[in-house]
Amino acid sequence: MKYQYDIIVIGGGAAGLTASGVAVSLGAKTMMIEKAKLGGDCTWYGCVPSKVLLNLGKKAELSGKSVNWQEVREKLDTIRQDIYEEADDPEKFREMGIDVEEGEAIFLDKNTLQLKNGSGILREVTSKYFVIATGAKAFVPPIPGIDKTPHLTNHNLFEMDELPKSMIIVGGGPIGTEMAQAFQNLGTEITVVDMLDTILANDHPELTPILKEHLELQGVKYELGAGVHSVSGDEKSVEVTIERDGETKVIKAEKLLMATGRRANFEPLNLDAAGVKTDKLGVTINDKCRTNIRNIYAIGDVTGRYQFTHMSEHMAKIAVSNALLKVPMKIDDKHVPWVTYTEPEVAHVGATQKQLDEDGTKYETYKFPYKMIDRAITDEKTEGWIYVYAKKFNGKILGADVLGTHAGELISQYALAMKNGITLKNMADTIYPYPSYGLGARRAADQWYVKSQSVGVVKWIKRIFGYRGPLPDLSEPDKIV
């Protein structure tokens, strides 16, 4: 059968844009369908606007000046629009040879879509391959009273007309933590509520309390280990009743932000008609990003696997390569980095220390504090640590955690090293510029040499060459040099 397209990509966020670009570069006749504006959550409701607010909040904290929210909104809208015009404008993709369509896609069978545009006009399109990249939406748990109480999610948070004087954030994950710092610095009194007794539960338990203490010094209040019993209120004020150890407490604020996670967005696609399986996380895929239907792939947040923009782009390349080139590529799930862009930042890549312990993996932890990084000292940014987990024998890196300024940049070094088999020995033997934050990564790698020292070997060296210096003092195995 002859199809109208070689490949149709459903969704124009980070995953869909990358998939479409890769597909057309390989010579495939490509269509991309987006029901709203290209750019997806990252440009309009996620990465971009949240980082704008973090930046403006940091500037407000440093200046000590009150914030004009209208100016903040103008800046926010301008930056989003600039990024859209520079990277996401449909005309740029049409110039590449991609047919960009605005509308809703509904499967009729595994090779046919019904395309419905904004005017309600329907038409059918066929394709040999499909890539589902419809992303995710904010998840709001069924808390008593939530359906009658005005609340914010990441989809309307950045469209507020006024800066609230106070806000309750339910959720202590990355979104809740970043927005807590951003709005606190902008002048909003923040209270964070989470049922867990820690923030950023996926990050290192020795590092997240340092960040929490920093946020508390900035004024953020925490109610941890507390479940949300009910909510109530109107556009002017809200009340959140929390429960901890059988006791209830009422918290009041002007606004309520639900930062309680995201859920895959696939219901409108009518996947049953194509026979595509889903589960509670999202569209079910294998490590090649293929669904149970051989010609249909799914990538990004809609799969529920890794809800990071960088993983969406990675999965897009995997899916299109497998579909169009028949190259057996698989998702790289061993070197997935993530960063929470607070000040200080928190970053991770590879296996966590908890995973290594649970798996019974033998490893050493190599640490280095920011207070010994000269650039951090000159910048007065000495709050932080670098933790690296590696094999003792050869320095093979298994994972890393970083808390501190530019942690996201440092974790990128470890992601590159792990992906390419670069060991701590290799990093320690590399020339890094002084003074730089990157030098902290090399200093952490130096600890592998320190811990690999042997008194016996030094004795032989002294005997062979007649050296007269002292033997190394290895009485403190965790000493940082």
mmCIF file of all heavy atoms in Angstrom, residues 362-364 366 390-396 423 425 448 452:
data_model
loop_
_atom_site.group_PDB
_atom_site.id
_atom_site.type_symbol
_atom_site.label_atom_id
_atom_site.label_comp_id
_atom_site.label_asym_id
_atom_site.label_seq_id
_atom_site.Cartn_x
_atom_site.Cartn_y
_atom_site.Cartn_z
ATOM 1 N N LYS A 362 29.955 -3.025 44.459
ATOM 2 C CA LYS A 362 31.102 -2.536 45.205
ATOM 3 C C LYS A 362 31.610 -1.242 44.573
ATOM 4 O O LYS A 362 31.835 -1.185 43.355
ATOM 5 C CB LYS A 362 32.223 -3.589 45.218
ATOM 6 C CG LYS A 362 31.878 -4.847 46.031
ATOM 7 C CD LYS A 362 33.049 -5.814 46.062
ATOM 8 C CE LYS A 362 32.709 -7.042 46.911
ATOM 9 N NZ LYS A 362 33.845 -8.011 46.966
ATOM 10 N N TYR A 363 31.756 -0.225 45.394
ATOM 11 C CA TYR A 363 32.189 1.078 44.884
ATOM 12 C C TYR A 363 32.786 1.890 46.017
ATOM 13 O O TYR A 363 32.662 1.553 47.188
ATOM 14 C CB TYR A 363 30.993 1.837 44.290
ATOM 15 C CG TYR A 363 29.981 2.278 45.336
ATOM 16 C CD1 TYR A 363 30.017 3.565 45.865
ATOM 17 C CD2 TYR A 363 28.996 1.404 45.814
ATOM 18 C CE1 TYR A 363 29.106 3.981 46.835
ATOM 19 C CE2 TYR A 363 28.088 1.797 46.777
ATOM 20 C CZ TYR A 363 28.147 3.079 47.283
ATOM 21 O OH TYR A 363 27.254 3.478 48.254
ATOM 22 N N GLU A 364 33.442 2.973 45.646
ATOM 23 C CA GLU A 364 33.963 3.946 46.595
ATOM 24 C C GLU A 364 33.292 5.292 46.319
ATOM 25 O O GLU A 364 32.935 5.599 45.179
ATOM 26 C CB GLU A 364 35.473 4.104 46.451
ATOM 27 C CG GLU A 364 36.292 2.947 46.993
ATOM 28 C CD GLU A 364 36.391 2.979 48.515
ATOM 29 O OE1 GLU A 364 36.266 4.073 49.104
ATOM 30 O OE2 GLU A 364 36.600 1.900 49.105
ATOM 31 N N TYR A 366 33.869 9.258 46.281
ATOM 32 C CA TYR A 366 34.921 10.275 46.247
ATOM 33 C C TYR A 366 34.251 11.645 46.348
ATOM 34 O O TYR A 366 33.433 12.007 45.495
ATOM 35 C CB TYR A 366 35.735 10.156 44.957
ATOM 36 C CG TYR A 366 36.360 8.782 44.811
ATOM 37 C CD1 TYR A 366 35.696 7.775 44.104
ATOM 38 C CD2 TYR A 366 37.570 8.486 45.404
ATOM 39 C CE1 TYR A 366 36.244 6.504 43.991
ATOM 40 C CE2 TYR A 366 38.138 7.218 45.297
ATOM 41 C CZ TYR A 366 37.462 6.222 44.599
ATOM 42 O OH TYR A 366 38.006 4.964 44.503
ATOM 43 N N ALA A 390 32.442 5.425 42.209
ATOM 44 C CA ALA A 390 33.263 4.793 41.175
ATOM 45 C C ALA A 390 33.904 3.515 41.701
ATOM 46 O O ALA A 390 33.979 3.282 42.914
ATOM 47 C CB ALA A 390 34.352 5.763 40.699
ATOM 48 N N LYS A 391 34.354 2.691 40.757
ATOM 49 C CA LYS A 391 35.065 1.472 41.107
ATOM 50 C C LYS A 391 36.440 1.824 41.675
ATOM 51 O O LYS A 391 37.146 2.681 41.128
ATOM 52 C CB LYS A 391 35.236 0.593 39.867
ATOM 53 C CG LYS A 391 33.945 -0.033 39.355
ATOM 54 C CD LYS A 391 33.455 -1.135 40.273
ATOM 55 C CE LYS A 391 32.293 -1.894 39.686
ATOM 56 N NZ LYS A 391 31.844 -2.999 40.574
ATOM 57 N N LYS A 392 36.806 1.158 42.743
ATOM 58 C CA LYS A 392 38.077 1.457 43.406
ATOM 59 C C LYS A 392 39.270 1.087 42.537
ATOM 60 O O LYS A 392 40.253 1.825 42.467
ATOM 61 C CB LYS A 392 38.152 0.712 44.741
ATOM 62 C CG LYS A 392 39.413 1.020 45.546
ATOM 63 C CD LYS A 392 39.391 0.308 46.895
ATOM 64 C CE LYS A 392 40.637 0.654 47.696
ATOM 65 N NZ LYS A 392 40.632 -0.009 49.029
ATOM 66 N N PHE A 393 39.174 -0.037 41.821
ATOM 67 C CA PHE A 393 40.322 -0.547 41.083
ATOM 68 C C PHE A 393 40.712 0.355 39.917
ATOM 69 O O PHE A 393 41.872 0.733 39.761
ATOM 70 C CB PHE A 393 40.040 -1.963 40.575
ATOM 71 C CG PHE A 393 41.107 -2.499 39.661
ATOM 72 C CD1 PHE A 393 42.364 -2.826 40.156
ATOM 73 C CD2 PHE A 393 40.864 -2.653 38.294
ATOM 74 C CE1 PHE A 393 43.356 -3.300 39.311
ATOM 75 C CE2 PHE A 393 41.855 -3.131 37.444
ATOM 76 C CZ PHE A 393 43.097 -3.460 37.958
ATOM 77 N N ASN A 394 39.717 0.715 39.069
ATOM 78 C CA ASN A 394 40.056 1.448 37.844
ATOM 79 C C ASN A 394 39.418 2.832 37.746
ATOM 80 O O ASN A 394 39.624 3.543 36.760
ATOM 81 C CB ASN A 394 39.665 0.629 36.609
ATOM 82 C CG ASN A 394 38.182 0.276 36.587
ATOM 83 O OD1 ASN A 394 37.402 0.778 37.399
ATOM 84 N ND2 ASN A 394 37.794 -0.579 35.654
ATOM 85 N N GLY A 395 38.642 3.230 38.751
ATOM 86 C CA GLY A 395 38.038 4.554 38.725
ATOM 87 C C GLY A 395 36.870 4.692 37.763
ATOM 88 O O GLY A 395 36.486 5.817 37.405
ATOM 89 N N LYS A 396 36.280 3.587 37.332
ATOM 90 C CA LYS A 396 35.113 3.657 36.451
ATOM 91 C C LYS A 396 33.965 4.342 37.192
ATOM 92 O O LYS A 396 33.586 3.948 38.285
ATOM 93 C CB LYS A 396 34.675 2.257 36.023
ATOM 94 C CG LYS A 396 33.441 2.256 35.132
ATOM 95 C CD LYS A 396 33.002 0.840 34.783
ATOM 96 C CE LYS A 396 31.732 0.871 33.946
ATOM 97 N NZ LYS A 396 31.263 -0.505 33.619
ATOM 98 N N THR A 423 37.425 7.491 32.937
ATOM 99 C CA THR A 423 37.503 7.142 34.352
ATOM 100 C C THR A 423 37.951 8.346 35.183
ATOM 101 O O THR A 423 38.363 9.375 34.653
ATOM 102 C CB THR A 423 38.502 6.002 34.569
ATOM 103 O OG1 THR A 423 39.811 6.485 34.234
ATOM 104 C CG2 THR A 423 38.158 4.795 33.711
ATOM 105 N N LYS A 425 40.630 8.356 36.817
ATOM 106 C CA LYS A 425 42.054 8.501 36.496
ATOM 107 C C LYS A 425 42.241 9.409 35.284
ATOM 108 O O LYS A 425 43.096 10.298 35.276
ATOM 109 C CB LYS A 425 42.688 7.136 36.237
ATOM 110 C CG LYS A 425 44.179 7.218 35.889
ATOM 111 C CD LYS A 425 44.743 5.841 35.545
ATOM 112 C CE LYS A 425 46.242 5.929 35.295
ATOM 113 N NZ LYS A 425 46.594 6.855 34.209
ATOM 114 N N TRP A 448 40.607 9.897 43.829
ATOM 115 C CA TRP A 448 40.803 8.491 43.473
ATOM 116 C C TRP A 448 42.279 8.132 43.636
ATOM 117 O O TRP A 448 42.628 7.074 44.175
ATOM 118 C CB TRP A 448 40.351 8.236 42.032
ATOM 119 C CG TRP A 448 40.619 6.829 41.585
ATOM 120 C CD1 TRP A 448 39.857 5.725 41.857
ATOM 121 C CD2 TRP A 448 41.750 6.380 40.832
ATOM 122 N NE1 TRP A 448 40.441 4.605 41.305
ATOM 123 C CE2 TRP A 448 41.606 4.977 40.672
ATOM 124 C CE3 TRP A 448 42.857 7.014 40.273
ATOM 125 C CZ2 TRP A 448 42.530 4.216 39.970
ATOM 126 C CZ3 TRP A 448 43.781 6.259 39.581
ATOM 127 C CH2 TRP A 448 43.610 4.866 39.433
ATOM 128 N N SER A 452 43.941 5.601 46.381
ATOM 129 C CA SER A 452 44.630 4.447 45.794
ATOM 130 C C SER A 452 46.071 4.320 46.272
ATOM 131 O O SER A 452 46.780 3.381 45.881
ATOM 132 C CB SER A 452 44.609 4.550 44.263
ATOM 133 O OG SER A 452 43.280 4.550 43.778
#
